[in-house]
Every structure is written in structure tokens, then in C-alpha cells.
Amino acid sequence: MVDRLASFAARLCLTAEIITRRSASIQRQKQVVQSVWPKALCYPIGSFRTGTGLKDSDADLLVSIPEQGDERSCVLAAAACMKEAIINHRIAEPQSCSVIVGARVPILTYMDGNETSPLKFDISFQRENAVKNTEYLVEKFDERPFMRDLVIIMKYWLREKQMNEVYEGGLGSYAVSLTVIGFFNFKRRTLSRAEYQAFITGSRYNMFVQYLEFWTGWKYKQDSMIPDPGIISRKTRDKQKGRPLMLRIMDPTDPANGVSMASYRIGKVIGGMAKLKRRIQDLSGTPAEKARFLKEKIHQGRNNHAMNLKMHKRIRKLEKKKNLTKAAQKSLARLKEKHEEFITRRPGFAAELARADHLLKGTGGPEQDLPGPKHGLGHDTSMINPREENMQPPTPGESATTKSQNDERPAPIENEGKSFEELEREAKHAATIARKREKREKILQKRAEKKAEKEKKAQRRMETEMNRLKKEEESANTRPKASKKVIEQEAMN
């Protein structure tokens, strides 16, 4: 049986071709470093070196310059020299090359334009502990290669949720790697030898679900994690640190370094992991749970289309205006950037839009196909009967009998000249009108029912009153007549 999660991780990781191209690009950067500092050393660090990089991830390098201090001023001066050399060697354009001064450790970032698809480089200086961290991860991943799959999947998920940048409060690649190592060390300590062997030789799906359970069950606000040998310390935090509610992971290569102390959005990250665990379990649960999950996905697809149309409408509205002010131009550029980011974060939806755009360019209109989840629309689309193409022309007798039936059929809707968005807008408008009409009919029906109920109550009251008067009249007629002597006595009194 094929492990789908392992196959998914294999599709996400770097291929042999990409690794070859990146190695050549790293060699070019090393030559630039040697041209500026002949005795300097350049090390590849990070995910490329550990084998946990994604296909579109950045490349990280460390430049170690001998006889130069690691003070912030020295690092900034080295970054400025490297930036000038990168521009002079025409590896990067000046607008794509910058020094991030506000970071805890200044970093030079730029795009290598010599690659077919430009590769982003992040270069740091005088950070010897980065090399130790990388070599530690390489050693651990080589011992247990299956850990790389979990790291790759977690990095992909964090990137899709935009929670992978540490400076934005997310969880970084090094922290993810340490948590995976700590998880497997924890399992090795708590399980028997046979149970642990069965666990690591099992499916990646089971590993990933238990890893998520480990995360969501960890009380990170009070506890600290020691990845090696996989211990959760139940001691309370040191209040003098000033961050008692932050994530605390001990760095195996430098115990004084608090990994992910800057991950102030860790609560959101763990909440997302809990939601991800529930969804994965829904897909492997009962048919009712699967149906509920698929229904949620359909609603999400409809919301994606609605948001896409809303953004398109706002962009077109701004583009139609003439003589835009600088503020309006910035707003338009920011809106376009948000729209591109919205599409990029939804690969399935982007594939739908690309497919629809291709069909519009090729045929001048949307494809007529069976409605289904692949359209993602909240309405039915026009269909073609596949048997009509092979139908023979009717005989004169048949045409006479079917002419009246054909005349009763509604004429086909002319979709020529209309774009995919216009057709979708018209269908949504028609659906809205149908919903309003149905709502209006229900209101009128309730009013009619209330009116009929009132008439029935009035009719019952009238009948009750008439019955009462009739009974009084009958009782008066049946009363015995008084004698003549009694009448005369009453008159005298």
C-alpha cells in the first residue's frame, strides 16, 4: 500500500535537478565572497543543507570572515560590502538587494537573477552557531530519515497559513525540526522497543496525527521542551524573563539560546494544528464525517469565488478612473498584490481559474460540462448531451411527431460574447431572485394561513353567540304562564 503522506512529502521536497541548479548558484555566491574576502569561508546552512527544503524555499548562507569581530557594526559593514559586490558581479539587481537592519541578526537578502526561476538568498555573517545547528540537524535526520517527511509537511502547512516567519510571530524551520526530533525522542523514551519499532516503520499518516496530538496536548505556557533526549519540563517559567507565556524550546547546541521566544503567535499556530488534526481524522472517519467535511469544502469553494469576484470588481472600478492620485495608485497596487496572494495561497482555486481562462481564450466562452465540484460554483451549468453528437437526423415521420415537443422546450441561452465572470454573476443573480421569490411566497402563504385562521375564529364566535341567543329564546318560550290571581296581586303591590 502506497503511503500517500510520504508521496506528498516527496512531491514537495527538492528534486535532483533543483539541487544541482542550487549547488551551482551557491558556488557563484562563494566566488563573490572570495573576491571580497579571500580568506573568508562560506557555508550553506538551513533547509537546503538538511534536506528539508521546499521547491520554492530560500537558500541560506553563512559567511565567516577571519580576524573580524561579530559586533553589529562589523556585521553591517560586511553586509554592505557584500551587497556592493553582488551588484557589481551582476548577480542581482539593485532594487532586489537589501540589508535587513531591523532584524536581531542583520541579513543580506537578494534574488539571483542568473537562475531560470530567480532564487532568493539570505546571507548572514559571523554566526558560528548556525553551522553547529545545521550539522546537528543533518546528523539527526541521517539517523532517522523519516523525520524529514514530517518537517517538510509541517513547513508547507505553516507557509500556506502564513505562520512560518519568526519575525511575524510564526514558527521557524529550526524550531519545527527540533519539535519533530523531540517528538520522536519522547516516543522512544515512553514506548517499548517493539512498540517504537512498529511506530517508526508504520505509515507517515499515523506519525503525523500523533505529532499533532503531541503539539495540541503540550501546555507550552508552563512547560519547556528539551528535544534531546525528548523531555517536557514541568517546571514553571522564570518570571524575570518577561515572557512567561511564550514558546520555550531548548537549543541542543546552545542551551542559553531560547528557540522561538519570538513566536508570539504560537497560540494561533497550535489552534491551527488542532483544527488540522480534526480535519485529517474526519477524512478517515465515518461516511457522515466525510460528507460533512466535503460539504465544508464546497462552501469554502463558493466563498473563494465570491471573494475573487469582489476583488476583481474593486480592481476594475479603480482602473476605470482617470487621473488617479498617488494614494489611489498605492491602493490599487496593494489590492492587486492582495489578490495575487489570495490566488497563490489556494492552489486548487488557482487551477480552476487557469482552466476557465484557458477555455475562454480557446472557445470564446466557458466550457459546457457536467456540473460538479471541479467548477466550484454555487449553480448548475449548461450541459451537453453526449449522445447528441452521434444522433442521426430524424425521419420525416419522426419530425412531425416531435415538432410540437421541441416547440415547448425553452430556447437555449445565448452565452456567446459573455465572459466567465458575467455568466457566474448572472447565475448568482438568478439564484438570488429565486431565493427572494421563494421567501416572498412563504410570507404570503403564512399571511393567508393567518387570515383563514382569523376567519375561522370569527365564524366560531358568531356561531357560539347565535347558539346562546337561541337557547335563551327557547328557555323563555318554555317558561310556565302565571295565573290571573297572581298577576292582580303583583299589580296591587
Side-chain angles (χ1 to χ4, degrees):
M1 182 177 178
V2 179
D3 193 330
R4 294 186 177 181
L5 212 59
S7 301
F8 180 61
R11 292 196 300 270
L12 294 176
C13 68
L14 301 175
T15 62
E17 181 183 358
I18 296 176
I19 292 174
T20 302
R21 291 205 307 266
R22 290 200 175 190
S23 299
S25 182
I26 290 173
Q27 191 62 33
R28 284 197 297 271
Q29 318 310 315
K30 289 183 177 181
Q31 292 175 0
V32 176
V33 172
Q34 294 292 330
S35 66
V36 181
W37 303 283
K39 296 182 180 181
L41 300 176
C42 186
Y43 304 97
I45 58 175
S47 58
F48 178 74
R49 177 72 178 88
T50 59
T52 59
L54 303 177
K55 291 183 178 178
D56 53 352
S57 60
D58 307 338
D60 299 319
L61 297 178
L62 170 68
V63 176
S64 177
I65 306 172
E67 299 180 359
Q68 183 170 331
D70 56 354
E71 294 82 5
R72 191 176 185 86
S73 58
C74 297
V75 172
L76 288 174
C81 293
M82 185 68 183
K83 176 182 176 181
E84 185 178 355
I86 288 292
I87 295 174
N88 292 336
H89 284 76
R90 297 183 179 180
I91 290 179
E93 298 294 332
Q95 60 271 16
S96 68
C97 190
S98 62
V99 180
I100 303 177
V101 182
R104 185 170 62 92
V105 179
I107 294 175
L108 172 63
T109 177
Y110 60 91
M111 301 292 292
D112 185 358
N114 296 321
E115 291 290 326
T116 305
S117 56
L119 176 61
K120 183 181 178 182
F121 274 91
D122 291 335
I123 299 182
S124 55
F125 299 86
Q126 307 299 96
R127 290 181 59 199
E128 302 298 334
N129 61 333
V131 180
K132 295 180 182 179
N133 296 342
T134 302
E135 294 304 321
Y136 171 79
L137 295 181
V138 170
E139 179 185 355
K140 295 300 179 181
F141 290 155
D142 287 343
E143 290 177 0
R144 291 173 282 185
F146 49 83
M147 292 194 298
R148 285 192 173 96
D149 292 345
L150 266 65
V151 174
I152 290 171
I153 293 171
M154 274 303 303
K155 288 178 62 177
Y156 174 77
W157 179 78
L158 288 169
R159 190 190 65 181
E160 291 299 304
K161 296 297 180 181
Q162 293 186 342
M163 294 186 291
N164 60 325
E165 297 293 348
V166 179
Y167 65 87
E168 293 180 353
L171 198 62
S173 175
Y174 185 54
V176 171
S177 301
L178 290 181
T179 57
V180 171
I181 293 172
F183 166 69
F184 281 97
N185 286 337
F186 178 80
K187 285 292 183 181
R188 185 166 57 182
R189 287 178 53 254
T190 56
L191 298 177
S192 64
R193 183 183 297 273
E195 290 175 342
Y196 179 74
Q197 191 65 25
F199 174 68
I200 63 176
T201 56
S203 65
R204 300 293 190 272
Y205 168 81
N206 187 35
M207 292 181 185
F208 190 58
V209 170
Q210 292 197 34
Y211 171 75
L212 295 176
E213 290 178 353
F214 174 77
W215 257 105
T216 53
W218 175 22
K219 297 179 181 179
Y220 68 94
K221 294 182 180 180
Q222 295 86 18
D223 305 336
S224 300
M225 182 181 186
I226 305 175
D228 203 353
I231 298 174
I232 301 297
S233 177
R234 303 295 179 181
K235 298 179 182 179
T236 56
R237 295 294 182 84
D238 189 1
K239 294 183 179 180
Q240 69 180 5
K241 295 291 183 181
R243 296 180 179 179
L245 302 181
M246 293 299 174
L247 180 66
R248 178 79 178 261
I249 304 173
M250 185 177 292
D251 190 347
T253 61
D254 184 9
N257 179 27
V259 181
S260 296
M261 290 291 289
S263 300
Y264 56 86
R265 295 172 63 196
I266 188 60
K268 186 175 180 180
V269 173
I270 293 181
M273 288 182 181
K275 187 175 180 180
L276 176 63
K277 184 190 70 173
R278 289 194 300 269
R279 290 200 170 188
I280 291 176
Q281 290 175 341
D282 286 344
L283 284 177
S284 61
T286 63
E289 292 174 341
K290 292 181 180 179
R292 187 187 67 212
F293 175 76
L294 293 176
K295 187 176 181 180
E296 291 178 358
K297 293 297 289 183
I298 291 173
H299 284 302
Q300 182 63 38
R302 292 175 179 173
N303 294 337
N304 289 341
H305 278 280
M307 182 60 70
N308 182 49
L309 289 176
K310 185 177 180 180
M311 288 184 173
H312 266 302
K313 186 176 180 180
R314 291 177 61 187
I315 291 173
R316 287 197 301 268
K317 186 177 179 180
L318 288 175
E319 288 177 344
K320 287 180 181 179
K321 292 183 179 180
K322 297 181 179 179
N323 300 325
L324 290 176
T325 61
K326 291 184 178 179
Q329 291 176 359
K330 289 183 179 179
S331 178
L332 179 59
R334 188 163 53 251
L335 187 59
K336 288 182 177 179
E337 183 179 353
K338 285 184 177 180
H339 181 254
E340 291 178 359
E341 183 180 354
F342 174 80
I343 299 298
T344 304
R345 290 182 59 191
R346 293 160 175 82
F349 181 63
E352 283 185 28
L353 294 181
R355 178 173 176 270
D357 185 57
H358 174 70
L359 293 173
L360 286 173
K361 290 179 180 179
T363 61
E367 181 186 29
Q368 294 178 335
D369 201 353
L370 295 176
K374 63 182 178 181
H375 292 283
L377 306 179
H379 59 83
D380 292 337
T381 55
S382 56
M383 295 181 290
I384 296 179
N385 189 347
R387 293 177 296 176
E388 290 182 359
E389 298 178 357
N390 301 325
M391 290 176 63
Q392 299 295 332
T395 59
E398 292 176 347
S399 60
T401 57
T402 58
K403 183 177 180 180
S404 59
Q405 298 177 359
N406 293 335
D407 292 339
E408 295 177 357
R409 296 178 182 175
I413 301 176
E414 295 294 336
N415 294 336
E416 295 183 2
K418 295 183 180 180
S419 65
F420 179 76
E421 296 175 0
E422 291 175 349
L423 291 173
E424 185 175 3
R425 196 180 303 114
E426 290 176 1
K428 287 189 176 182
H429 180 64
T432 303
I433 292 175
R435 287 195 301 269
K436 289 183 177 180
R437 185 182 294 114
E438 184 180 358
K439 186 177 179 180
R440 179 66 178 172
E441 290 176 355
K442 288 182 180 180
I443 292 173
L444 293 176
Q445 185 178 0
K446 288 182 179 179
R447 288 180 180 176
E449 291 175 356
K450 288 182 179 180
K451 186 177 180 181
E453 187 67 24
K454 287 182 180 179
E455 291 179 354
K456 287 181 181 180
K457 289 182 179 179
Q459 186 69 22
R460 285 197 295 268
R461 285 197 298 269
M462 290 178 62
E463 291 177 357
T464 304
E465 186 68 20
M466 289 177 65
N467 291 334
R468 187 181 65 79
L469 294 174
K470 188 176 180 180
K471 288 180 180 179
E472 289 180 357
E473 185 179 354
E474 289 177 354
S475 62
N477 293 334
T478 56
R479 182 183 302 173
K481 294 183 179 180
S483 61
K484 186 177 181 181
K485 186 177 178 178
V486 174
I487 295 173
E488 289 176 358
Q489 188 177 357
E490 290 179 354
M492 289 176 66
N493 295 335

